[in-house]
Amino acid sequence: MAYKQEYQASIDDPTAFWGEKARALDWYRAPQTVLSTDENGIYRWFADGELNTCYLALDYHVANGRGDQLAVIYDSPVTDQQRKITYAELLDEVASCAGMLEDLGVGKGDRVVIYLPMIPEALISMLACARLGAVHSVVFGGFAPPELAVRLDDATPKVLLTASCGIEISRVIEYKPIVDKAIEMAAHKPDHCVVLQRPQARAEMQDGRDLDWREAVAAASPAACVPVKGTDPLYILYTSGTTGKPKGVVRENGGHAVAMKYSMSAIYDIEPGDVYWAASDVGWVVGHSYIVYGPLIHGCTTVLYEGKPIMTPDAGAFWRVIAEHGVKALFTAPTAFRAIKKEDPEAELAKQYDLSCLQTIFAAGERLDPPTYEWLAEKFRVPVLDHWWQTETGWAIAANMHGLEPMPVKSGSSTVPVPGFNVQILDEAGNRVAAGEQGFIAIELPLPPSCLATIWGDVERFKENYLETYPGYFTTGDGGYIDEDGYVFIMGRVDDVINVAGHRLSTGEMEEVVGKHPMVAECAVIGRSDELKGQMPMGLVVLKNAEGADPDTIVSELVAMVRQDIGAVAAFKEALIVARLPKTRSGKILRKTLRAMVDGDDYVVPSTIEDPAVLDEIKALL
Ligand code: COA
Ligand code: AMP
């Protein structure tokens, strides 16, 4: 029982376990202190170790015979382009990009915001920051200027890196006007904005502040790796919480590198030299961990795909990439498979390709629903493995540990806790519940390496959000249960976070935007089940004075406001004008009941409801 032994060892003696795993990396100074607590009483990993994440991802491999191996395969159906980059070439490009950043005054601990589409420069600039010990913060391209502005103010970067445009299927999205607007809105102004001009759009440059990427890199000398401490931050990645202000999850160099290295073999069963493809975006945590850092630290070839599962050009796009590049493991969000299945239910397009290289399919970002699981398993005849994780952890909390010991799959379950994660199901009072009983999913402390130890600049918010609900535990925000065999079943968020097409969004944030409309008295945004995207946001809106108001006009104004303030990625397209919202006697909106009602599920009218008739009024409108 390799898994059981490994898991037990990780829980019984985390220090010995992770101390041993850390030896797989080439540290400048091996950590003597594996686990410690900091001045805030928070567990930290490898505090006195010294390393450089970019060195581990590039220089180490070039020095050890992988210089000529492909590090990155950039495959871009939207520009009809491909580029293959070896480890030696990538090292040169990253060192020059780091040199450019150094010339702009970026050093250890400084922040750099990266707002780029899925092009090699995204990955190159992340590694360049890591090389200097600078802290990158990548912002997903689908976010609108106000979202970028909030992140600029929170991360206070010296430099912002961007491109003239991104391409959504065939639509060219100009990035520079978004960036200019965000800088105008933000109180913090980066000293410089470096722009990669793409042929599909030409960015207007601002004298003094903006620099041309290619010219600036050409003028720079390569920079060397700067050693950092295990606990020094590698990146900040903002994620949605329950309020409007996104949380800056801080990832530390040491724990992250150890977890990345371990997971590539223990979870993904991948060897150095293999081709690995996470079809996600560098703007999300999956992209950070498994497009960039995991595969490169492990010496693999990573695929950087600038396209969609469908329409670029068809639902066979993923199968083409797999066959053409010899992908051994594919990792994506279930939504992508649902989109493919909808277009090509019999997977006819897959038959055009030789997929014999593909050994496993991994899914995460949202629950892998049983029909999608069954379709994949039947059509592709390889293990289809759901695994559960969050931006906060940076890697899987529950998974089928395929590289240790493949376990039988139970449809609807993300399998078992990953070594290091002491996953427990708690009731409201914090007591552990029996097997099979649903509750709040918490992880007993210490969390394993790579998990966040603070929110950027706000350790109190970190403690309050994650550590104070159940002392001794980290609360995940997810609900679910563990069955008699120890299998973990995730049933969804227990807070105001929703998952739309595998993208994590806050309904609270959308409510703040909707609430700004002058006609809106109050509103609730809930996640409604959606066959393709898993969930879609839906607004229920009470107007200040409904008389004479045209509901269709107001709804389209609300849709436009959310798109403008948060971005297209919020996919807020539906709102219903209602006379009243259902509330408890103390004034709390009954969102759970609303959600069940909108989905057509059975629901119990809560005893705390102020006026049950409100539910009937809304039901009549659906
Ligand atoms: N830059 C700018 N706009 C973007 C964007 C980006 N990087 N990514 C998405 N958008 C826009 C889309 O164009 C779309 O705009 P629209 O409302 O004008 O059509 C909107 O944001 C919503 O995007 P999305 O939710 O992705 O829906 P879609 O209908 O464009 O595509 C899928 C549907 C299923 C093809 C797509 O959601 C997908 O590939 N999902 C996989 C999810 C994934 O990789 N998740 C990462 C976590 S693992
Ligand atoms: P993110 O931080 O964007 O990775 O989103 C994390 C959230 O996505 C989790 O808290 C879950 O609600 C959801 N999630 C991720 N993976 C899974 C999964 N395999 N099964 C169910 N939910 C998942």
Side-chain angles (χ1 to χ4, degrees):
M1 292 302 284
Y3 162 72
K4 274 207 170 130
Q5 270 175 12
E6 179 104 344
Y7 182 74
Q8 209 48 53
S10 76
I11 300 302
D12 291 347
D13 192 347
T15 303
F17 184 86
W18 292 110
E20 200 262 317
K21 302 298 174 207
R23 282 190 211 117
L25 299 177
D26 190 18
W27 300 75
Y28 295 135
R29 180 175 186 269
Q32 306 303 305
T33 307
V34 173
L35 181 62
S36 51
T37 44
D38 65 15
E39 64 283 8
N40 297 308
I42 291 165
Y43 287 107
R44 306 291 284 270
W45 290 98
F46 313 115
D48 63 357
E50 276 183 20
L51 76 164
N52 181 283
T53 299
C54 178
Y55 167 81
L56 297 175
L58 299 178
D59 305 60
Y60 173 81
H61 298 307
V62 173
N64 286 275
R66 287 193 190 279
D68 295 334
Q69 183 197 306
L70 290 185
V72 181
I73 299 172
Y74 166 58
D75 184 306
S76 170
V78 296
T79 59
D80 201 16
Q81 223 190 325
Q82 283 192 13
R83 200 180 147 207
K84 295 182 175 171
I85 312 171
T86 65
Y87 269 94
E89 288 163 349
L90 188 61
L91 172 56
D92 283 348
E93 293 208 27
V94 168
S96 299
C97 182
M100 168 196 57
L101 290 170
E102 218 170 33
D103 290 347
L104 298 177
V106 174
K108 189 166 160 178
D110 291 332
R111 275 80 56 213
V112 174
V113 163
I114 300 175
Y115 188 72
L116 283 170
M118 286 285 287
I119 54 177
E121 285 74 9
L123 183 148
I124 289 168
S125 55
M126 289 164 78
L127 290 162
C129 291
R131 193 167 188 83
L132 298 177
V135 182
H136 62 70
S137 186
V138 182
V139 180
F140 178 63
F143 282 123
E147 289 288 325
L148 180 54
V150 168
R151 287 154 175 80
L152 290 175
D153 278 338
D154 199 70
T156 60
K158 271 198 174 155
V159 174
L160 191 156
L161 301 173
T162 191
S164 56
C165 65
I167 299 149
E168 280 291 293
I169 307 177
S170 56
R171 196 157 42 107
V172 173
I173 311 228
E174 291 202 32
Y175 274 25
K176 192 59 186 353
I178 298 174
V179 166
D180 287 341
K181 183 88 205 282
I183 296 178
E184 189 191 309
M185 293 173 90
H188 172 83
K189 317 284 180 199
D191 299 340
H192 293 286
C193 181
V194 185
V195 187
L196 183 88
Q197 296 283 9
R198 303 187 82 190
Q200 295 78 9
R202 187 122 207 113
E204 292 284 328
M205 304 292 269
Q206 193 170 306
D207 271 354
R209 188 196 70 188
D210 298 347
L211 296 162
D212 179 87
W213 188 298
R214 291 189 186 88
E215 285 171 15
V217 169
S221 319
C225 289
V226 175
V228 297
K229 287 267 186 291
T231 44
D232 281 338
L234 170 68
Y235 68 77
I236 306 166
L237 181 57
Y238 289 89
T239 190
S240 301
T242 47
T243 63
K245 190 169 186 259
K247 298 186 275 201
V249 168
V250 179
R251 188 85 55 228
E252 296 173 0
N253 280 277
H256 172 254
V258 172
M260 289 300 98
K261 178 76 185 153
Y262 175 66
S263 64
M264 286 306 293
S265 53
I267 297 178
Y268 301 103
D269 196 15
I270 286 289
E271 305 273 329
D274 287 342
V275 182
Y276 178 89
W277 180 25
S280 175
D281 188 289
V282 287
W284 307 113
V285 67
V286 173
H288 281 63
S289 295
Y290 295 112
I291 295 175
V292 185
Y293 291 111
L296 294 179
I297 288 174
H298 201 48
C300 301
T301 301
T302 185
V303 178
L304 182 74
Y305 176 69
E306 189 182 22
K308 298 268 175 184
I310 53 172
M311 294 182 286
T312 56
D314 58 25
F318 274 24
W319 320 128
R320 179 204 45 91
V321 172
I322 291 167
E324 207 170 314
H325 305 307
V327 172
K328 184 173 171 189
L330 165 69
F331 173 3
T332 194
T335 303
F337 294 125
R338 287 196 296 269
I340 295 170
K341 178 176 160 223
K342 195 167 162 220
E343 299 270 306
D344 183 19
E346 291 310 314
E348 290 296 336
L349 292 166
K351 294 179 191 147
Q352 297 176 6
Y353 301 98
D354 174 6
L355 300 180
S356 55
C357 55
L358 184 69
Q359 291 191 4
T360 12
I361 294 177
F362 292 90
E366 53 180 319
R367 179 167 172 260
L368 178 59
D369 53 294
T372 308
Y373 164 72
E374 277 143 30
W375 182 79
L376 284 166
E378 188 211 313
K379 302 288 181 221
F380 297 94
R381 310 231 161 254
V382 294
V384 176
L385 307 173
D386 186 11
H387 58 330
W388 165 58
W389 51 304
Q390 311 186 315
T391 305
E392 286 83 345
T393 61
W395 66 306
I397 310 165
N400 199 318
M401 302 298 296
H402 218 62
L404 279 181
E405 178 192 354
M407 301 180 81
V409 170
K410 287 194 191 186
S411 179
S413 167
S414 43
T415 321
V416 290
V418 166
F421 287 98
N422 188 349
V423 181
Q424 299 293 337
I425 311 292
L426 306 179
D427 64 17
E428 201 120 13
N431 303 309
R432 293 185 183 183
V433 303
E437 242 178 75
Q438 272 199 48
F440 300 96
I441 313 184
I443 304 164
E444 196 177 316
L445 300 176
L447 293 168
S450 163
C451 301
L452 83 175
T454 189
I455 287 174
W456 180 253
D458 200 348
V459 73
E460 287 311 316
R461 190 173 176 206
F462 169 64
K463 289 186 184 170
E464 201 181 303
N465 278 199
Y466 297 102
L467 304 181
E468 283 173 4
T469 316
Y470 303 115
Y473 293 91
F474 170 88
T475 33
T476 64
D478 279 306
Y481 64 95
I482 299 181
D483 75 3
E484 276 85 6
D485 301 323
Y487 276 56
V488 179
F489 289 75
I490 309 299
M491 304 309 288
R493 298 288 304 194
V494 292
D495 54 16
D496 297 331
V497 167
I498 57 171
N499 250 286
V500 181
H503 306 141
R504 176 167 159 181
L505 298 161
S506 159
T507 53
E509 192 177 1
M510 293 187 215
E511 285 176 8
E512 282 181 25
V513 177
V514 171
K516 281 194 234 161
H517 191 288
M519 295 285 285
V520 171
E522 60 176 344
C523 69
V525 175
I526 53 168
R528 178 175 66 67
S529 295
D530 183 80
E531 225 176 275
L532 175 66
K533 296 195 179 187
Q535 283 186 302
M536 282 287 269
M538 175 185 184
L540 293 137
V541 181
V542 179
L543 298 182
K544 279 183 186 150
N545 179 4
E547 244 172 73
D550 172 28
D552 289 345
T553 309
I554 293 176
V555 169
S556 43
E557 282 167 4
L558 296 176
V559 168
M561 280 169 75
V562 175
R563 196 177 170 95
Q564 225 166 57
D565 277 18
I566 301 178
V569 69
F572 181 87
K573 302 207 160 141
E574 193 185 1
L576 193 65
I577 309 285
V578 297
R580 303 183 286 169
L581 288 170
K583 289 185 183 170
T584 61
R585 281 184 282 274
S586 60
K588 217 169 146 230
I589 297 172
L590 290 161
R591 290 160 209 280
K592 208 167 140 197
T593 315
L594 275 174
R595 235 177 2 240
M597 189 166 78
V598 165
D599 282 345
D601 293 343
D602 292 339
Y603 59 90
V604 182
V605 178
S607 57
T608 50
I609 194 166
E610 193 184 20
D611 181 1
V614 186
L615 293 176
D616 298 325
E617 287 169 20
I618 296 178
K619 212 169 173 182
L621 295 171
L622 291 170

